[in-house]
Amino acid sequence: EVQLQASGGGLVQAGGSLRLSCAASGFTSDDYAIGWFRQAPGKEREFVASISRSQDITNYATFVKGRFSISRDNAKNTAYLQMNSLEPEDTAVYSCAAKDGLPSDYDLVYDFWGQGTLVTVSS
């Protein structure tokens, strides 16, 4: 069974940092892309960042503005989202997702989703 588990969320002050982790298991191949998405109350789910298997392709949402960085450690079957200079507007449930092949910023093409982790940024 393919499973993804997001963790690392919490409560931080504006300007602080968090590193989210996405642990993957159950894949028969490591040739998969990882995407991070978030959803705040009253808003639609939105793309945050994505990364290819070999880490040569990364994409970021425009609102990240250089504050976030996505990476992965294939030996550990784990992807990360380093979030710096957090703002109250970043408050949301962050979820990781996986798909075969190249990454995408379109949520519906991802086949597997993990349970989200809540990030709350106070002002």
Side-chain angles (χ1 to χ4, degrees):
E1 179 182 357
V2 175
Q3 292 184 331
L4 300 172
Q5 182 67 264
S7 62
L11 175 64
V12 298
Q13 295 279 352
S17 299
L18 283 175
R19 189 181 74 162
L20 306 183
S21 298
C22 177
S25 64
F27 288 95
T28 58
S29 172
D30 65 354
D31 186 18
Y32 60 89
I34 292 291
W36 284 96
F37 298 83
R38 72 183 189 184
Q39 186 169 25
K43 300 186 66 176
E44 296 183 350
R45 184 167 59 197
E46 60 183 351
F47 168 76
V48 177
S50 62
I51 188 170
S52 63
R53 177 193 62 185
S54 59
Q55 305 190 57
D56 59 334
I57 302 175
T58 57
N59 291 295
Y60 296 93
T62 57
F63 62 76
V64 171
K65 299 179 180 179
R67 299 180 297 125
F68 295 1
S69 179
I70 188 171
S71 63
R72 64 191 293 171
D73 186 337
N74 291 331
K76 297 181 178 180
N77 294 318
T78 303
Y80 306 94
L81 183 68
Q82 178 67 45
M83 305 186 296
N84 301 319
S85 301
L86 285 165
E87 304 169 354
E89 292 75 18
D90 295 316
T91 296
V93 173
Y94 286 72
S95 300
C96 59
K99 66 180 294 296
D100 291 331
L102 298 175
S104 173
D105 59 1
Y106 184 41
D107 56 351
L108 295 185
V109 301
Y110 286 83
D111 299 304
F112 307 103
W113 291 80
Q115 188 176 35
T117 185
L118 177 63
V119 173
T120 303
V121 184
S122 62
S123 59

